[in-house]
Amino acid sequence: FAAVVGVKTSGMSVAEWFEVRGATGFSEAITQLLPLGGLLVTLAAVFASTSALNATIYSSTRICFALGRDGYLPRPVSHISRKTRTPHRALLLSGAITVLIAATLPVEVVCAGASLFFIVLFSLVAVAAIKARKEQGYALSYGYLMPFFPLIPVVSVAGQMLIGVFLL
């Protein structure tokens, strides 16, 4: 808040100042407040991105493995290494896709795409909740029963799709 409100804009509005600077605007604004502020913001972004990338690689590997196991991807993708007990082929597939995307697309497109895929993933979870309750609800033991079912997951999916449109 202090960086955005306190930025010295040289006569233009704060919104215009940030628009001109693009991705480096926040770092430049922090540098105006703290001598090493830009470095701190850069380090924070690197560490946050690294941890998010780590979680994404793990989850994408697990998704590739499960899709292979369930027959939505070629079955060999679900192979588990006898030596390491990991889904090494799923890891190679998701890693290759990640490297290909990171090497060929601009960083803004990669970030927007990652955000869009998370929204799609959350939407699929809501749809899966509807499907699981409709097909297996009689057999499941619930500690908590979602009120207004299926309205809440449907509204969730609609809201997430609306956000996704803005990301596009």
Side-chain angles (χ1 to χ4, degrees):
F1 180 78
V4 171
V5 172
V7 69
K8 296 176 185 84
T9 61
S10 307
M12 62 177 77
S13 74
V14 173
E16 291 171 332
W17 189 88
F18 277 101
E19 185 177 349
V20 167
R21 280 153 182 80
T24 63
F26 185 71
S27 179
E28 290 180 38
I30 292 290
T31 301
Q32 289 182 10
L33 292 175
L34 300 168
L36 296 176
L39 176 63
L40 293 174
V41 167
T42 301
L43 289 174
V46 167
F47 290 133
S49 298
T50 302
S51 94
L53 180 62
N54 196 22
T56 302
I57 295 296
Y58 282 138
S59 66
S60 67
T61 299
R62 178 70 179 114
I63 290 167
C64 285
F65 167 76
L67 289 173
R69 180 196 60 206
D70 295 344
Y72 295 106
L73 285 176
R75 183 103 24 219
V77 172
S78 67
H79 183 263
I80 301 285
S81 167
R82 290 176 199 244
K83 180 180 177 185
T84 62
R85 305 285 301 147
T86 60
H88 62 286
R89 293 178 184 164
L91 178 61
L92 287 173
L93 177 63
S94 63
I97 292 169
T98 301
V99 168
L100 179 70
I101 289 171
T104 59
L105 296 175
V107 70
E108 293 86 4
V109 173
V110 173
C111 291
S115 298
L116 186 61
F117 279 116
F118 272 110
I119 288 173
V120 169
L121 179 64
F122 295 145
S123 296
L124 290 174
V125 169
V127 170
I130 294 170
K131 185 175 190 256
R133 186 155 163 195
K134 292 280 187 191
E135 292 178 0
Q136 302 172 3
Y138 61 89
L140 299 174
S141 173
Y142 295 100
Y144 170 79
L145 198 60
M146 183 187 310
F148 307 112
F149 180 83
L151 179 64
I152 292 175
V154 169
V155 169
S156 169
V157 170
Q160 291 165 13
M161 292 299 108
L162 185 63
I163 293 170
V165 168
F166 286 107
L167 279 175
L168 290 175

